[in-house]
């Protein structure tokens, strides 16, 4: 080993069959810079905040907030542990103003509706189906007023139909049920 050139080393760890020969480059450390540990904001703060914004329709008016407040929340979302599809859809809503199509996509992704609706396909009664979906989606929306729940479910259904046309007939049933009964919840 003493015949190796400068910057070459043999590395071995217990459990390895053979050692590995490596080239090592000198690390240029700038003493003026400090290491800053990245902060990860846990979902326990991000998810409830986003849920509240969705359920109170505050998400629609996000572009009216002060620029600094917008940037702070966007940073929180990016650093959160939310699924990538939720982050991308949310950022699209913020950048392009949350129209109804973007909003229904965000709600669909946020509640991971695809899996929930796949399990609910066997239920044909609109009321039973709605109660199942409300109890199955996560995070829970059960404590919100019925009109807000109905609106979220309608947006989830609208997005699901855009992805799965076999649900089109059920959406018609859902709309008729809402009209006849003034709501499902």
């Amino acid at each position: 080993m003493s015949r190796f050139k400068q910057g070459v080393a043999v590395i071995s760890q217990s459990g390895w069959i053979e050692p590995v020969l490596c080239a090592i480059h000198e690390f240029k450390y700038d003493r003026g810079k400090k290491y800053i540990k990245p902060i990860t904001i846990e979902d326990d703060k991000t998810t409830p905040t986003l849920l509240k914004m969705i359920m109170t329709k505050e998400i629609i008016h996000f572009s009216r907030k002060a620029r600094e407040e917008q940037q702070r929340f966007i940073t929180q979302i990016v650093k959160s542990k939310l699924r990538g599809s939720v982050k991308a859809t949310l950022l699209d809503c913020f950048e392009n103003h949350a129209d109804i199509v973007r909003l229904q996509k965000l709600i669909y992704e946020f509640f991971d509706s695809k899996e929930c609706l796949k399990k609910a396909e066997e239920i044909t009664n609109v009321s039973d189906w709605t109660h199942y979906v409300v109890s199955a989606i996560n995070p829970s929306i059960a404590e919100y007023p019925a009109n807000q729940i109905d609106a979220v479910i309608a947006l989830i259904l609208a997005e699901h139909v855009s992805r799965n046309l076999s649900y089109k007939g059920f959406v018609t049933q859902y709309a008729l049920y809402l009209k006849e009964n003034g709501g499902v919840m």
Side-chain angles (χ1 to χ4, degrees):
M1 284 199 275
S2 62
R3 295 184 191 172
F4 291 148
K5 293 180 182 177
Q6 186 175 0
V8 177
V10 175
I11 300 175
S12 178
Q13 290 187 0
S14 61
W16 287 13
I17 298 171
E18 294 184 25
V20 178
L21 186 64
C22 298
I24 301 170
H25 300 284
E26 181 182 356
F27 175 70
K28 305 271 191 233
Y29 177 70
D30 182 358
R31 296 205 184 273
K33 294 184 179 178
K34 292 182 179 179
Y35 173 75
I36 300 171
K37 183 179 177 182
I39 299 169
T40 301
I41 298 169
E42 299 297 325
D43 280 348
D44 60 323
K45 295 176 184 171
T46 308
T47 300
T49 302
L50 184 53
L51 175 62
K52 181 181 172 224
M53 287 178 76
I54 288 170
M55 296 305 291
T56 60
K57 301 175 188 146
E58 186 181 337
I59 198 98
I60 297 168
H61 307 292
F62 184 77
S63 62
R64 294 181 190 162
K65 290 187 177 286
R67 187 76 182 145
E68 187 177 295
E69 188 178 349
Q70 288 178 2
Q71 200 56 47
R72 191 171 37 253
F73 186 67
I74 289 170
T75 301
Q76 181 180 352
I77 292 295
V78 170
K79 290 182 177 181
S80 76
K81 293 182 180 178
L82 290 170
R83 289 185 326 281
S85 60
V86 176
K87 291 179 185 181
T89 306
L90 186 59
L91 292 174
D92 182 45
C93 282
F94 292 161
E95 290 174 7
N96 300 302
H97 305 292
D99 62 8
I100 194 71
V101 174
R102 286 183 179 90
L103 188 59
Q104 74 187 30
K105 184 177 180 183
L106 172 63
I107 289 171
Y108 189 87
E109 292 295 335
F110 179 67
F111 291 112
D112 200 13
S113 304
K114 182 179 180 181
E115 291 304 312
C116 178
L117 295 182
K118 190 182 290 185
K119 293 175 184 172
E121 283 180 350
E122 304 295 322
I123 304 170
T124 55
N125 179 285
V126 172
S127 181
D128 293 344
W129 180 91
T130 305
H131 287 284
Y132 172 79
V133 171
V134 168
S135 67
I137 60 175
N138 189 22
S140 176
I141 60 172
E143 71 274 3
Y144 285 93
N147 63 334
Q148 289 176 323
I149 293 172
D150 288 341
V152 166
I153 298 300
L155 289 170
I156 288 172
L157 266 174
E159 181 63 21
H160 194 63
V161 162
S162 74
R163 299 174 185 209
N164 181 353
L165 289 177
S166 68
Y167 250 77
K168 196 172 185 177
F170 188 80
V171 170
T172 305
Q173 287 179 334
Y174 183 83
L176 286 172
Y177 191 92
L178 283 177
K179 185 178 180 181
E180 291 169 3
N181 299 301
V184 179
M185 296 306 294

